[in-house]
Amino acid sequence: MVTGSELSAILWEDDTHASYLKKLYSDLKHTFERNGCADAVFSGRGSLGIDTGKISCDYIDYINNIPGSENLFGGEYRSQ
């Protein structure tokens, strides 16, 4: 879980952007719905979270030292 303020500081490095956060949550929720894992995204009391146990992610596997995961990721991470 991460609060809206924490997420805003990480992504935009300044004050909270409530409208950006609402759009981000909406986009994230719809993306997960289209991929059959809508229940992996949750929010509550000004926080947003992703249940990493309900999704498959090469980056998460890598940071959790899953054997073989070091060869899975083939793109750029946070290039924008």
Side-chain angles (χ1 to χ4, degrees):
M1 293 291 290
V2 64
T3 68
S5 296
E6 292 169 326
L7 190 55
S8 184
I10 291 166
L11 295 174
W12 299 291
E13 299 179 351
D14 58 10
D15 295 329
T16 301
H17 294 278
S19 62
Y20 293 176
L21 290 172
K22 287 175 90 171
K23 176 72 172 141
L24 174 66
Y25 177 71
S26 177
D27 290 349
L28 190 62
K29 183 177 175 186
H30 289 117
T31 298
F32 277 57
E33 285 173 353
R34 282 192 307 271
N35 289 284
C37 50
D39 62 338
V41 179
F42 54 94
S43 65
R45 301 191 68 137
S47 298
L48 175 67
I50 298 175
D51 183 346
T52 59
K54 294 184 178 184
I55 61 171
S56 174
C57 175
D58 54 2
Y59 181 70
I60 293 170
D61 289 349
Y62 176 75
I63 61 175
N64 288 325
N65 297 314
I66 304 298
S69 63
E70 64 276 1
N71 299 318
L72 294 175
F73 182 70
E76 293 183 23
Y77 177 69
R78 296 182 65 171
S79 61
Q80 67 278 27

